[in-house]
Amino acid sequence: MKTAVIYARYSSERQSEQSIDGQLRKCYEYAEQNGILVLDTYIDRAMTGTNDKRADFQRMLKDSNKKLWNYVIVYKIDRFGRNKYEIAMNKHALKANGIKLLSAMENIPDSPEGIILESLLEGMAEYYSAELSQKVKRGMRESRHKGNFTGGFLPYGYKKEGKKVVVDEDKAEIIRYIYSQYAQNVYVKDIITTLTKRGILNENKPFAKNTVHNILRNQKYSGIYNYDGEVFSDIYPQIVPDGIFQIVQAKNKSNQSGSRSPYVVHLLRKKIKCGYCGRNINGYSGTSKSGEVKRYYLCAGKHKTKDCVKKTVRKEALEEIVLQTILKLFVDKKSIPAIADKIAKFHNKNFKGSQALTLLRQKRDDIVKAKNNILSAIELGNVSFATANRLQELEKSENEISQKILSAQSKEKSALQRTEIISFFKNSLRNIPQRMIELLVKQIVLYDDKILIKCNYTRYSQHQPDSTLNLVVFNDKAQLPMTAERKYIIKIYDVDVSVEF
């Protein structure tokens, strides 16, 4: 007697005539009508047919190797699959085991015409699947353009109301706290500790580090959602202000340049580049045979690909040289005036009053000129009622414009003064070293015989915000043995100053 197994599948939770029960009933009827004994059933529930990654389908293919039955009966060909290439391959696997695929609802004759019909049905199944996928994607896209939530995981701090995503204010305050603390250089582990002490947990457990890092990288908190190359700004309400979000993303990006020990701060990490290969120089540590922990800076090119000649540099010595250089340059009484003059000159050379203020002054000058003309006419005896009225109007206008000029001047950014720069250097640079490096150093380019330090002064120049103050540190032997006790000379390219220490 001929034997068979039944394979049934549906891809939706909705029950219809093509539900599992409906499919099984029709398959059993087909087997009975054709004198076939059904030995087993294989069922995949709520599974797509666009690929063959289905548990019971794969089990059925594996069991076919035992050659215990003659046929596989399906409700329709599209239940077997909707990818004609995978259908052909899987049918070939069955055929190799002497097993034929039968469709209970599609009368496919065992003839050349039947081969054409079966191929047509397989092509139609694939077309239907592709068309359905396209319609679903189009519908989802339209929903996103309407600002609707289209499903998936909702980030911490949001909740769903109807079709819209709204802010869960209690959790949103926690998100803002995490961002603000991280923007102020508080470590993630310390943020988690503070939250835990305050009884703020995530699913009844302390926040995991990965969870916090994912929060700090999630663009949705800025109100922006990127999907399939499109940007949507009205699906996720903004939780984190733009300024703080950008600061945090900049810190995230810079942190990719090297790992950080939670107990040791490499002051120059994120700032330092190799002068030979241009790659990052990162902070590392190792333990000697004696058990002593040694910390150093090493070029990523030498560490990873071994194709860079840059020598390893001791952490403490290199940081001391850079710190002493910055302090000597910006705090030394001999150096500060020259640096301050240079910065003030650069900042102020393009400084002009705003266009609105210029126009007000021109208008006031025109009024004064008109008044003087009238006064000259009065002195010559040309006085009339109209002349007197005009003089009063001009005086009133002059008073009004003078008030506007005073108001504009009070809001106008004043030119940068040399004394302001000197005061800033003297009073602000003796904070913690990390803050000084972050504030003053734009980039450090490290060679074996010199250090190029590019210093920021963008806080004082809005006209050319990318400007830098370049200086080189070297010693009289044209070599930098990394010890802070040596005598070094600083040459400043942008300012005619040389200092020694």
Side-chain angles (χ1 to χ4, degrees):
M1 188 176 184
K2 298 177 181 178
T3 57
V5 295
I6 296 172
Y7 175 73
R9 174 190 67 82
Y10 73 96
S11 56
S12 171
E13 298 297 336
R14 296 173 296 174
Q15 298 294 313
S16 66
E17 66 172 357
Q18 293 187 30
S19 67
I20 296 299
D21 291 340
Q23 291 179 49
L24 291 176
R25 184 175 65 255
K26 291 294 182 181
C27 290
Y28 274 115
E29 290 176 0
Y30 176 85
E32 185 178 354
Q33 291 169 4
N34 290 276
I36 300 173
L37 175 65
V38 176
L39 301 179
D40 202 355
T41 60
Y42 297 86
I43 300 170
D44 283 312
R45 291 176 169 82
M47 296 291 291
T48 179
T50 56
N51 60 67
D52 58 7
K53 303 298 187 291
R54 294 165 260 150
D56 255 30
F57 185 85
Q58 291 297 323
R59 188 167 67 87
M60 179 266 293
L61 291 177
K62 184 177 180 180
D63 288 350
S64 72
N65 294 324
K66 301 174 183 178
K67 302 179 182 180
L68 300 177
W69 18 271
N70 308 110
Y71 304 104
V72 173
I73 303 174
V74 293
Y75 177 77
K76 285 185 177 180
I77 292 295
D78 65 358
R79 301 299 89 190
F80 192 75
R82 285 180 176 162
N83 183 315
K84 63 182 179 182
Y85 299 106
E86 288 186 352
I87 290 175
M89 291 172 61
N90 293 325
K91 281 173 60 179
H92 179 75
L94 292 177
K95 187 177 180 180
N97 292 324
I99 298 169
K100 184 178 180 181
L101 179 67
L102 300 174
S103 171
M105 299 300 293
E106 295 155 336
N107 186 19
I108 303 174
D110 191 8
S111 65
E113 292 80 5
I115 295 174
I116 295 175
L117 176 60
E118 189 170 8
S119 296
L120 179 62
L121 291 171
E122 291 169 2
M124 288 178 63
E126 186 169 16
Y127 169 77
Y128 170 77
S129 178
E131 184 187 37
L132 180 63
S133 175
Q134 188 179 61
K135 288 179 178 177
V136 170
K137 287 180 179 178
R138 185 165 58 244
M140 298 283 275
R141 183 171 179 270
E142 289 301 316
S143 292
R144 285 190 287 270
H145 277 289
K146 292 177 181 177
N148 294 333
F149 180 60
T150 55
F153 173 76
L154 268 178
Y156 186 90
Y158 292 108
K159 59 184 179 180
K160 183 172 173 286
E161 289 185 1
K163 296 181 179 180
K164 299 291 185 179
V165 176
V166 298
V167 175
D168 185 334
E169 283 300 336
D170 291 338
K171 293 181 178 179
E173 281 302 312
I174 299 169
I175 296 295
R176 296 185 190 104
Y177 174 80
I178 291 172
Y179 267 81
S180 66
Q181 291 295 294
Y182 191 73
Q184 297 175 51
N185 298 319
V186 179
Y187 295 148
V188 167
K189 67 179 184 65
D190 295 330
I191 295 173
I192 294 173
T193 299
T194 301
L195 291 174
T196 304
K197 286 180 179 179
R198 294 180 182 180
I200 300 172
L201 306 175
N202 182 28
E203 297 180 351
N204 297 319
K205 295 183 294 185
F207 279 83
K209 282 187 178 180
N210 284 343
T211 300
V212 175
H213 281 298
N214 288 334
I215 286 172
L216 292 168
R217 288 192 294 264
N218 198 328
Q219 193 179 30
K220 296 183 180 72
Y221 293 122
S222 70
I224 301 298
Y225 175 45
N226 283 283
Y227 184 86
D228 198 22
E230 290 189 272
V231 178
F232 302 89
S233 58
D234 55 354
I235 298 177
Y236 291 90
Q238 185 172 7
I239 290 179
V240 180
D242 290 336
I244 292 179
F245 187 84
Q246 294 303 323
I247 291 172
V248 168
Q249 299 321 301
K251 286 175 64 65
N252 287 337
K253 185 177 180 180
S254 66
N255 285 340
Q256 294 174 1
S257 61
S259 59
R260 171 185 57 79
S261 166
Y263 308 106
V264 178
V265 176
H266 285 77
L267 295 178
L268 309 182
R269 189 179 65 89
K270 304 181 292 183
K271 299 281 189 179
I272 191 166
K273 295 277 187 181
C274 176
Y276 300 105
C277 70
R279 280 170 279 197
N280 292 333
I281 291 182
N282 302 322
Y284 298 94
S285 63
T287 305
S288 66
K289 292 182 180 180
S290 63
E292 179 187 1
V293 176
K294 296 185 176 181
R295 298 182 175 87
Y296 54 92
Y297 285 97
L298 178 63
C299 172
K302 188 168 185 177
H303 178 67
K304 295 179 180 178
T305 58
K306 313 296 183 184
D307 61 353
C308 184
V309 298
K310 179 71 192 78
K311 297 177 182 178
T312 301
V313 182
R314 286 201 300 111
K315 170 186 180 296
E316 294 80 3
L318 179 60
E319 290 177 354
E320 182 66 15
I321 290 172
V322 173
L323 288 172
Q324 289 296 333
T325 300
I326 298 299
L327 286 170
K328 188 72 175 179
L329 177 66
F330 288 105
V331 180
D332 187 272
K333 293 180 180 180
K334 297 178 182 178
S335 302
I336 281 185
I339 302 299
D341 287 342
K342 178 69 177 180
I343 294 174
K345 181 180 178 181
F346 178 83
H347 173 81
N348 298 328
K349 68 178 180 180
N350 293 320
F351 180 83
K352 297 178 181 177
S354 67
Q355 185 177 4
L357 188 57
T358 301
L359 291 174
L360 286 171
R361 287 170 176 158
Q362 289 176 351
K363 193 170 183 180
R364 183 179 62 180
D365 291 344
D366 291 339
I367 291 173
V368 171
K369 186 176 180 180
K371 277 179 57 181
N372 290 335
N373 290 337
I374 292 176
L375 290 173
S376 297
I378 292 174
E379 290 175 356
L380 295 173
N382 299 323
V383 182
S384 66
F385 183 74
T387 304
N389 283 342
R390 178 58 180 159
L391 184 59
Q392 289 181 348
E393 290 173 1
L394 289 172
E395 288 179 343
K396 182 179 179 181
S397 297
E398 183 183 6
N399 289 333
E400 290 176 352
I401 291 175
S402 295
Q403 290 297 322
K404 291 179 180 180
I405 289 174
L406 288 173
S407 177
Q409 285 176 334
S410 67
K411 298 175 183 178
E412 181 74 6
K413 185 180 183 296
S414 60
L416 189 65
Q417 299 298 317
R418 177 176 183 268
T419 53
E420 296 174 24
I421 303 171
I422 294 175
S423 175
F424 173 81
F425 285 145
K426 287 183 175 179
N427 298 325
S428 303
L429 295 187
R430 294 193 181 276
N431 293 327
I432 60 173
Q434 186 175 11
R435 178 59 178 160
M436 186 175 69
I437 294 295
E438 288 177 357
L439 178 66
L440 293 178
V441 177
K442 182 176 183 179
Q443 188 183 68
I444 299 170
V445 182
L446 186 62
Y447 299 84
D448 287 335
D449 59 347
K450 61 184 176 183
I451 308 170
L452 172 61
I453 303 175
K454 299 182 179 181
C455 298
N456 284 312
Y457 53 97
T458 57
R459 288 176 181 265
Y460 321 117
S461 174
Q462 295 182 352
H463 299 293
Q464 296 187 22
D466 293 330
S467 58
T468 56
L469 187 67
N470 297 318
L471 57 113
V472 175
V473 182
F474 59 93
N475 74 351
D476 52 0
K477 294 182 181 179
Q479 182 68 22
L480 282 179
M482 289 299 104
T483 169
E485 287 75 28
R486 295 297 183 98
K487 179 179 178 182
Y488 296 98
I489 302 172
I490 307 169
K491 181 179 179 182
I492 307 166
Y493 284 138
D494 298 291
V495 188
D496 187 15
V497 175
S498 290
V499 295
E500 294 184 5
F501 69 94

